[in-house]
Amino acid sequence: MKVVIVGGVAGGATAAARIRRLNEQAEIVVFERSGYISYANCGLPYYIGGVIEDPEDLTLQTPESFLSRFRIHMKVRHEVTAIHPDRKTVSVKNLETGEELEEHYDKLLLSPGAKPVWPGLPGMDSDRLFTLRTVEDTFRIKEFVDHRKPKSAVMVGGGFIGVELAENLRELGMDVTVVELSKQLMSPFDADMAAFIHAEMRKHGVKLALGNAVKGFEEKEDGIDVLLNDNAPLHADMVILAIGVSPESTLAKDAGLALGVKGSILVNDRMETSVPDIYAVGDAVQVKHYVTGADALIALAGPANKQGRIAADNICGGDSRYAGSQGSSVIKIFDMTAATTGINETNARKSGLDVDTVILSPMSHAGYYPGGKLMTMKVVFEKETYRLLGAQIVGYDGVDKRIDVLATAIHAGMKATELKDLDLAYAPPYSSAKDPVNMVGFMIDNISKGLKQWHLADAAMLPRDGSVTLLDTRTVEEYSRGHIDGFRNIPVDELRERIGEIEAGKPVYVICQSGLRSYIATRILEGYGFEAYNFAGGFRFYDALMNDRALIEASFACGMDK
């Protein structure tokens, strides 16, 4: 059996090694048009920032190492230009010599990845304009940074690459501005959770120009101007575009393979395309979202690796199936960690799901053990069924641990209420006896048994005409430092003695700093016969979002954060 693989990196290289482990006699040839067969895409921003110092550390495998260990022929700087399914061959061009050849296959695996979106805007030919996708892109940016010594940069795009690269350039001492069309960074997060990401970026000196559209670029003697639709231009020494990627599916389309959403390659759960003996994996393929079942494009290294293994199994006569992509991800943002899995509240509602959320701010480990830090967790679940749909966490220590537990729970089909039953490891330096994930389960279990919540979206609509009672249960000092207009202050520890101050027969909407004291207050109020609602997230959460919204509106008015 002869297997030809188009493209290396996560999907193609993984598949090649797996095929060899399953079939010692197979002839395996990999064509990769770049100069690198297997490299650490996710590490590229950190090489530019100097965190990874040796460029060879980005190379996970080389053609020589693959040949030595697996007897697999890795042909870099070779571009497959056409697929001929009728005669089971591919046309290949050697990019160094210009030689063209035709290679036969018994099985063909496509792992072409995705390409950066390169909009047709004026001024795109500037040598101060870059994208970051390949090792070669990285070296071009690194060379510009090392030799031209830019003092300022504009990142166009606020996704994973944009945020990571903004951090690394800022750590090099540059003045960095991120321009993003939407009014938030990191779209996998809801806007309320993204507020904490924005705050961390601003804290470290990154300017945010959110809600701004780029209409072009203009070369200047001393740099480049980024032209905005509704604001003054931003001037910088260099610009990096990171506005997303699109499936690299030209080969598949030209060969007549069926395509899916946004021109992606259509595959089944065995990673088979519409043409017999042709498989496809990675960022170029359409997948099913594990939570919603909807067709999706999810460009992440983890799914690409799994798909490569599954395709290899099936090429070798097995029957492996891809269950779908859940979108679990984590990112370092200066000192902060932000992570997500499943779907966020925004997308859940767009999908037509009837959902609720809980928001909490637990410590990373036992409060009495030194060094604990707050994290903010938002967990999305389906009403009535309590199916666990997604989670977002921003914080410092322990974020990655909790998101992985929640990702596992979603994959296992657990109900959100069952999180309270998980037996999770505890020692004071690492967690609390009631782990934050258990706390999520306790909170949702309370909701399932009748506890009522109110949310941020309700804040502006709460009546101020006396028909409801608005109650802040923090200390007098906390209340004096900031509160929501219309809320009166009765500290929770005084509530029983002052219960007569609350008018009977009216609903009571309660808030505190994090949600714990207001929860206790709602239980007290219920005990006295009141209908009480606890605010999801607390004043800390409310204040963070309100401050963020004010800064975003200011940035939209002046072009960037002040």
Side-chain angles (χ1 to χ4, degrees):
M1 177 176 68
K2 182 174 181 179
V3 182
V4 170
I5 298 176
V6 181
V9 198
T14 295
R18 176 69 172 171
I19 292 167
R20 174 57 73 228
R21 289 195 294 273
L22 297 177
N23 188 328
E24 186 62 28
Q25 281 71 48
E27 182 184 353
I28 307 167
V29 181
V30 180
F31 294 110
E32 167 61 48
R33 66 183 175 188
S34 78
Y36 300 86
I37 198 66
S38 180
Y39 56 87
N41 281 54
C42 300
L44 300 182
Y46 299 99
Y47 173 67
I48 292 168
V51 178
I52 299 170
E53 297 180 354
D54 188 345
E56 292 188 5
D57 290 341
L58 297 172
T59 305
L60 305 178
Q61 293 282 355
T62 65
E64 294 75 22
S65 67
F66 256 100
L67 184 62
S68 174
R69 176 160 295 181
F70 298 111
R71 298 301 187 268
I72 293 173
H73 297 285
M74 294 282 189
K75 298 189 177 182
V76 297
R77 303 290 297 156
H78 281 69
E79 181 177 10
V80 173
T81 57
I83 303 168
H84 312 289
D86 54 337
R87 56 182 185 268
K88 300 186 82 168
T89 64
V90 294
S91 296
V92 185
K93 182 176 182 178
N94 184 324
L95 297 179
E96 292 182 345
T97 67
E99 177 190 4
E100 297 185 7
L101 58 105
E102 198 163 294
E103 189 89 17
H104 171 265
Y105 66 83
D106 295 307
K107 304 285 185 180
L108 176 64
L109 174 65
L110 304 179
S111 180
K115 57 189 175 184
V117 173
W118 191 255
L121 297 174
M124 294 286 292
D125 56 347
S126 171
D127 66 356
R128 294 178 181 268
L129 202 59
F130 303 88
T131 61
L132 178 58
R133 184 67 180 171
T134 67
V135 175
E136 287 90 346
D137 294 336
T138 307
F139 291 158
R140 281 193 288 271
I141 296 172
K142 179 71 169 171
E143 182 180 13
F144 186 91
V145 168
D146 288 347
H147 292 91
R148 303 280 285 273
K149 308 294 184 187
K151 295 190 180 336
S152 58
V154 169
M155 287 295 316
V156 181
F160 284 92
I161 290 293
V163 169
E164 288 174 339
L165 198 46
E167 174 190 343
N168 278 276
L169 295 179
R170 181 65 187 149
E171 295 283 28
L172 290 175
M174 287 192 212
D175 182 49
V176 179
T177 301
V178 179
V179 180
E180 168 58 48
L181 179 61
S182 72
K183 290 193 175 182
Q184 71 165 87
L185 303 176
M186 301 295 296
S187 62
F189 294 81
D190 287 314
D192 48 15
M193 295 297 284
F196 293 93
I197 296 172
H198 299 166
E200 185 73 6
M201 298 284 278
R202 295 184 184 113
K203 173 184 169 184
H204 288 271
V206 176
K207 301 179 182 70
L208 304 180
L210 305 177
N212 281 272
V214 174
K215 65 179 181 181
F217 307 92
E218 196 171 287
E219 190 93 34
K220 297 291 183 180
E221 196 171 308
D222 61 342
I224 184 171
D225 278 356
V226 180
L227 309 178
L228 305 177
N229 268 352
D230 299 305
N231 258 307
L234 299 174
H235 186 74
D237 295 326
M238 65 183 300
V239 174
I240 301 176
L241 293 181
I243 57 177
V245 295
S246 61
E248 183 61 274
S249 57
T250 304
L251 277 175
K253 179 181 178 181
D254 291 347
L257 277 64
L259 302 181
V261 294
K262 297 183 179 178
S264 57
I265 304 172
L266 192 65
V267 294
N268 60 18
D269 60 357
R270 287 169 47 87
M271 310 314 298
E272 296 169 321
T273 70
S274 60
V275 174
D277 297 322
I278 301 180
Y279 298 75
V281 301
D283 296 353
V285 305
Q286 173 181 296
V287 297
K288 293 290 183 185
H289 196 288
Y290 187 80
V291 175
T292 66
D295 296 332
L297 282 173
I298 299 179
L300 293 169
N305 274 281
K306 295 181 187 74
Q307 293 161 16
R309 179 184 173 93
I310 288 165
D313 288 352
N314 295 324
I315 285 170
C316 293
D319 187 23
S320 292
R321 307 277 173 160
Y322 187 62
S325 295
Q326 197 169 303
S328 300
S329 59
V330 64
I331 183 172
K332 174 185 175 296
I333 306 166
F334 293 99
D335 300 325
M336 177 180 278
T337 299
T340 182
T341 188
I343 56 173
N344 61 26
E345 181 186 7
T346 305
N347 289 331
R349 295 190 186 282
K350 285 180 180 177
S351 298
L353 295 169
D354 188 16
V355 302
D356 201 355
T357 65
V358 292
I359 298 164
L360 61 159
S361 301
M363 294 287 283
S364 57
H365 61 242
Y368 61 83
Y369 188 88
K373 294 183 178 180
L374 282 175
M375 65 178 74
T376 302
M377 304 175 67
K378 180 176 184 178
V379 176
V380 185
F381 61 95
E382 191 172 29
K383 291 181 180 178
E384 305 299 332
T385 68
Y386 291 93
R387 180 166 67 110
L388 194 57
L389 300 175
Q392 302 155 63
I393 311 177
V394 292
Y396 301 90
D397 298 336
V399 168
D400 53 340
K401 174 166 84 169
R402 273 65 186 222
I403 205 70
D404 282 344
V405 172
L406 290 163
T408 302
I410 292 171
H411 188 83
M414 290 179 63
K415 288 186 176 181
T417 51
E418 293 177 313
L419 295 173
K420 71 184 189 305
D421 302 320
L422 292 177
D423 191 352
L424 303 173
Y426 159 61
Y430 303 106
S431 186
S432 301
K434 297 176 183 177
D435 188 87
V437 174
N438 294 136
M439 291 301 300
V440 171
F442 295 144
M443 293 171 69
I444 297 174
D445 184 61
N446 285 337
I447 292 169
S448 75
K449 294 173 179 174
L451 181 75
K452 298 178 178 66
Q453 292 192 109
W454 65 283
H455 294 275
L456 193 67
D458 305 320
M461 297 181 286
L462 289 177
R464 265 68 172 180
D465 59 2
S467 60
V468 301
T469 299
L470 307 178
L471 182 63
D472 189 321
T473 59
R474 295 176 296 158
T475 66
V476 173
E477 183 181 358
E478 287 174 307
Y479 180 84
S480 68
R481 290 199 295 263
H483 56 269
I484 303 176
D485 289 343
F487 277 72
R488 63 176 299 191
N489 180 220
I490 300 179
V492 65
D493 293 338
E494 301 175 14
L495 182 58
R496 290 182 180 88
E497 289 73 27
R498 298 174 61 180
I499 201 75
E501 298 178 26
I502 301 175
E503 189 174 344
K506 294 181 180 179
V508 185
Y509 290 81
V510 193
I511 192 171
C512 72
Q513 188 68 10
S514 68
L516 175 58
R517 284 173 288 175
S518 53
Y519 163 65
I520 294 169
T522 60
R523 290 301 198 190
I524 294 170
L525 290 162
E526 287 172 346
Y528 281 89
F530 288 91
E531 179 185 351
Y533 296 81
N534 184 27
F535 179 66
F539 186 78
R540 170 181 172 269
F541 183 79
Y542 172 88
D543 195 43
L545 184 58
M546 292 302 104
N547 288 335
D548 184 58
R549 285 180 178 173
L551 287 168
I552 290 171
E553 291 306 315
S555 77
F556 188 73
C558 69
M560 68 179 70
D561 285 352
K562 288 293 187 184

